[in-house]
Amino acid sequence: MKKTRIISTDDILLTLCNSVTKVLGAATSSEVKYSAMVQKIHKTCLKPDIGCFVLFDGGFSGLVLMNFTAQAALEIYQTYMKNMGISESELATQHTSDEVANVMGELMNQSIGDFTGKIGQELQTSITQNQPKMLAINKQVHISVDTNLDRPQARRVTFVTARNNIFYLELAMDKTEFIQIAEMDEQGDTDPDSIIEEANRQADKPVAQVVDQDLFDELGL
């Protein structure tokens, strides 16, 4: 008899953590780790020094918050920009800079995009997200999901950068289980290079060149 496969809220959180470490690790060419211990919390909130939140909806609804210390945000921003060929003299040195907020917001957008793509494929459902915007704040701000959750759950996970700077991820969503009742077709991960190659073959308008460059920028190429 085939064993029933069940995917819980914590399995979804694990996928999210892996997406964050994958994207930030690739952006900084360094190791970003998360704690194996997850904290149960009752409220989600933005905290100093800089953070963002993302709402997602579709197959299930939820909220993701990222809270960075100033040191963690600057480390990730500066390392990423140096990897892109930007000289150190041109980099922002304050976490309150608009450039830091824009870059960190884009990295969070890529992280959540990777997560929604993976979880949508694994659960065979569709999830949409809003565009995250990084905010530099000096006091705590409570954020809640703009929908009614029957059995809300919230989790906080601690992350550590290569230089031992700390940042936190918070996830709030309904307590849920996805239960596999039939065989699913195996689907491999999407290859970004193949997508870009196909776009180049089909591009026949000048605007396509801009789109291709945007894809390269997002992928850090």
Side-chain angles (χ1 to χ4, degrees), residues 23-59:
V23 171
L24 295 186
T28 60
S29 298
S30 61
E31 186 178 20
V32 177
K33 299 181 291 185
Y34 58 87
S35 171
M37 300 299 294
V38 177
Q39 182 182 3
K40 286 186 177 182
I41 57 177
H42 299 291
K43 294 181 180 179
T44 53
C45 57
L46 289 175
K47 297 179 180 178
D49 296 305
I50 181 171
C52 73
F53 65 92
V54 181
L55 289 168
F56 57 87
D57 201 2

Side-chain angles (χ1 to χ4, degrees), residues 119-134:
I119 211 68
Q121 177 179 303
E122 184 176 7
L123 302 180
Q124 296 191 344
T125 188
S126 176
I127 304 173
T128 58
Q129 69 183 74
N130 72 313
Q131 178 74 29
K133 173 63 178 177
M134 279 282 173

Side-chain angles (χ1 to χ4, degrees), residues 60-183:
F60 57 90
S61 299
L63 168 71
V64 177
L65 283 85
M66 301 291 294
N67 290 309
F68 293 85
T69 61
Q71 295 81 4
L74 283 173
E75 176 190 343
I76 293 170
Y77 154 76
Q78 292 178 348
T79 306
Y80 171 65
M81 296 300 283
K82 288 177 183 178
N83 287 346
M84 295 289 288
I86 307 300
S87 65
E88 187 167 358
S89 61
E90 299 178 59
L91 299 179
T93 57
Q94 299 294 326
H95 74 278
T96 53
S97 167
D98 288 342
E99 185 178 352
V100 174
N102 291 338
V103 169
M104 293 299 294
E106 178 53 35
L107 290 175
M108 288 305 97
N109 187 47
Q110 292 181 34
S111 298
I112 303 301
D114 185 83
F115 160 71
T116 56
K118 285 181 177 177
I119 211 68
Q121 177 179 303
E122 184 176 7
L123 302 180
Q124 296 191 344
T125 188
S126 176
I127 304 173
T128 58
Q129 69 183 74
N130 72 313
Q131 178 74 29
K133 173 63 178 177
M134 279 282 173
L135 303 172
I137 58 176
N138 55 18
K139 61 179 61 178
Q140 185 169 292
V141 179
H142 288 288
I143 305 290
S144 61
V145 184
D146 187 21
T147 187
N148 292 323
L149 299 181
D150 295 328
R151 294 184 298 167
Q153 287 187 316
R155 302 282 190 268
R156 179 185 292 129
V157 183
T158 302
F159 287 74
V160 182
T161 68
R163 298 178 191 168
N164 292 319
N165 288 312
I166 303 295
F167 64 95
Y168 302 92
L169 178 149
E170 295 183 8
L171 170 68
M173 60 177 289
D174 246 346
K175 182 178 181 180
T176 187
E177 288 184 344
F178 287 84
I179 304 170
Q180 183 178 341
I181 61 174
E183 293 293 338

